[in-house]
Amino acid sequence: MADPTLTGVNSLGIAKAPEDTRVVVAMSGGVDSSVVAAMLKDQGYDVVGITLQLYDHGIAVQKKGACCAGQDIHDARRVSEAIGIPHYVLDYETRFRDSVMEEFADSYIRGETPIPCVRCNQEVKFKDLLATARDLDADVLATGHYVQQKLFGDHAEMLRAVDKNRDQSYFLFATTQEQLDYLRFPLGGLEKDDVRILAEKYGLQVANKPDSQDICFVPNGNYASVIERLRPGASEAGEIVHLNGDVLGYHKGIIHYTIGQRKGLGIGGRDPLYVIRLDPEKNQVIVGPKEALGVTTLHLKEVNWLGQTEISSEGQEIEVKVRSTRPSVRATLYGSGAEGGARITLHHPEQGISPGQAAVFYDGDRVLGGGWIENKS
């Protein structure tokens, strides 16, 4: 960003002095958002920290290192006190349960593989929290996400983070242009090791705190237990069926299986078989050989588009990520007549793709948006 003394624009792209610029920082209690708050405070901004209590700790199992656990709220409060900023905890439990947890359970019952962190950003953090920031007369809302942002006047673009191992653009694909223009991501140009060094520099007690690995309301990755708590009776046994129609065994509930799964099927003694698809209507797990996992066409819904022009119905070349842990691959994106819809043709088949996951579009490092995978072929 240009020198504010020469341009009249501060490091956050606002035409104000830092001390006259109010920044709400979404503080999870982890090292990343804590460094954002400390760094902006050090630069002279009027910083306000907000932490969201997202689930009932008496119902969901509290897990150390999960982004919304009680310890993390305590850590966010301690950091705020140490750096001298006001800090508020907002009770969003009902909103989080209705918008994220309930949808998570229903998605698995439909035979999908959901990504609740995206829904949380989409429905809670970048909607309700952003509205709260505006109510507090904040000029921007800052987070500890690892994505870059470039400002062109009043228009912002999202790019992958400098630290490609930490890049979180996949989880932010649903950020609208209006939201993106209001948000700031101060860590996007830093490596994670540099963030830890800054935490030490600012004397933050969370400097060596481990990063969150699990979904905050899913202790130890046992999502099936959470679904069964939210939807009693969801683990109904049914048939494991080969693509050729042969019944090979019985499963313990389709919520326990994911596309591409090989282990734990309980049908040993044959050539390797993988979960090809889940049929919730028939309550069947469909299995087959590895080559049957290949997918070349994806149909998307709820597409969020950040491109400068509309998606072409004749097709445009992009890169797409179909899983957060996979590299982006070449594809052609087609606009759809259906509102919020689109179609993607992958240049080479990809395996292990499931409805409920996201397909995120890129032009080099620039994020063009993305959509939810509705079906595939």
Side-chain angles (χ1 to χ4, degrees):
M1 192 72 67
D3 185 343
T5 62
L6 300 178
T7 65
V9 175
N10 62 36
S11 64
L12 294 176
I14 307 296
K16 292 182 179 181
E19 62 268 24
D20 297 324
T21 304
R22 176 164 291 178
V23 183
V24 165
V25 178
M27 299 183 68
S28 68
V31 63
D32 296 325
S33 58
S34 297
V35 165
V36 168
M39 182 168 58
L40 294 175
K41 173 66 174 178
D42 185 52
Q43 292 173 7
Y45 288 98
D46 175 13
V47 179
V48 177
I50 293 183
T51 301
L52 304 182
Q53 180 169 320
L54 296 179
Y55 62 82
D56 186 336
H57 305 292
I59 297 176
V61 177
Q62 183 172 321
K63 183 182 186 302
K64 183 178 180 181
C67 70
C68 338
Q71 180 62 45
D72 295 321
I73 294 175
H74 175 67
D75 288 342
R77 182 178 291 115
R78 288 196 306 166
V79 167
S80 298
E81 290 174 352
I83 64 177
I85 65 170
H87 176 256
Y88 304 97
V89 178
L90 303 182
D91 182 354
Y92 276 36
E93 289 183 13
T94 299
R95 176 73 168 137
F96 183 73
R97 183 183 179 96
D98 292 345
S99 300
V100 180
M101 294 177 66
E102 300 284 356
E103 170 61 22
F104 175 83
D106 289 341
S107 183
Y108 262 110
I109 291 172
R110 292 193 299 265
E112 301 172 348
T113 304
I115 314 174
C117 295
V118 176
R119 285 295 185 192
C120 184
N121 289 329
Q122 183 180 26
E123 298 294 336
V124 181
K125 293 180 181 176
F126 291 171
K127 184 179 288 187
D128 294 346
L129 179 55
L130 190 146
T132 298
R134 291 189 186 279
D135 288 342
L136 292 172
D137 294 325
D139 294 281
V140 294
L141 170 64
T143 81
H145 288 100
Y146 284 84
V147 291
Q148 293 189 88
Q149 184 184 51
K150 286 189 177 180
L151 300 176
F152 299 92
D154 294 332
H155 174 68
E157 291 185 349
M158 186 189 303
L159 296 90
R160 300 188 220 227
V162 165
D163 190 338
K164 295 301 186 286
N165 292 324
R166 296 285 176 173
D167 175 59
Q168 292 175 293
S169 59
Y170 181 87
F171 298 100
L172 299 179
F173 82 85
T175 306
T176 67
Q177 186 64 61
E178 181 182 4
Q179 293 167 347
L180 184 58
D181 291 340
Y182 188 69
L183 289 160
R184 295 296 184 270
F185 308 105
L187 303 187
L190 300 176
E191 300 282 344
K192 180 69 178 193
D193 289 346
D194 295 330
V195 174
R196 295 277 184 192
I197 291 171
L198 283 172
E200 294 282 358
K201 169 190 171 182
Y202 294 124
L204 304 181
Q205 295 171 308
V206 296
N208 296 312
K209 185 175 180 178
D211 292 329
S212 171
Q213 299 296 325
D214 295 326
I215 299 169
C216 62
F217 61 92
V218 183
N220 302 315
N222 188 3
Y223 57 85
S225 66
V226 174
I227 298 168
E228 288 167 342
R229 185 180 303 117
L230 293 169
R231 299 288 183 272
S235 291
E236 180 184 355
E239 297 173 333
I240 299 177
V241 182
H242 194 280
L243 284 171
N244 64 16
D246 292 341
V247 177
L248 304 180
Y250 297 90
H251 63 75
K252 54 185 179 179
I254 63 172
I255 65 170
H256 295 277
Y257 301 84
T258 56
I259 306 300
Q261 179 178 335
R262 176 184 174 187
K263 296 181 179 180
L265 300 180
I267 51 174
R270 302 175 175 84
D271 292 334
L273 294 174
Y274 300 79
V275 176
I276 305 301
R277 68 175 184 272
L278 302 171
D279 188 335
E281 292 186 2
K282 295 182 180 179
N283 193 27
Q284 291 179 336
V285 174
I286 313 300
V287 299
K290 187 174 184 179
E291 54 266 25
L293 286 170
V295 171
T296 56
T297 301
L298 305 175
H299 297 276
L300 310 179
K301 63 180 181 179
E302 297 181 51
V303 172
N304 180 55
W305 180 245
L306 297 172
Q308 295 298 309
T309 60
E310 295 297 321
I311 303 174
S312 171
S313 60
E314 298 180 357
Q316 62 191 86
E317 297 304 299
I318 61 165
E319 293 181 0
V320 62
K321 289 189 73 167
V322 293
R323 294 285 291 273
S324 63
T325 55
R326 291 189 186 176
S328 54
V329 296
R330 297 301 302 173
T332 305
L333 173 66
Y334 298 89
S336 169
E339 184 177 355
R343 173 171 56 90
I344 285 179
T345 300
L346 302 172
H347 290 190
H348 301 285
E350 287 286 307
Q351 296 184 339
I353 298 175
S354 171
Q357 295 173 336
V360 181
F361 321 140
Y362 297 88
D363 177 10
D365 280 340
R366 185 184 168 206
V367 182
L368 296 175
W372 296 100
I373 299 172
E374 189 169 24
N375 55 61
K376 57 185 183 171
S377 59

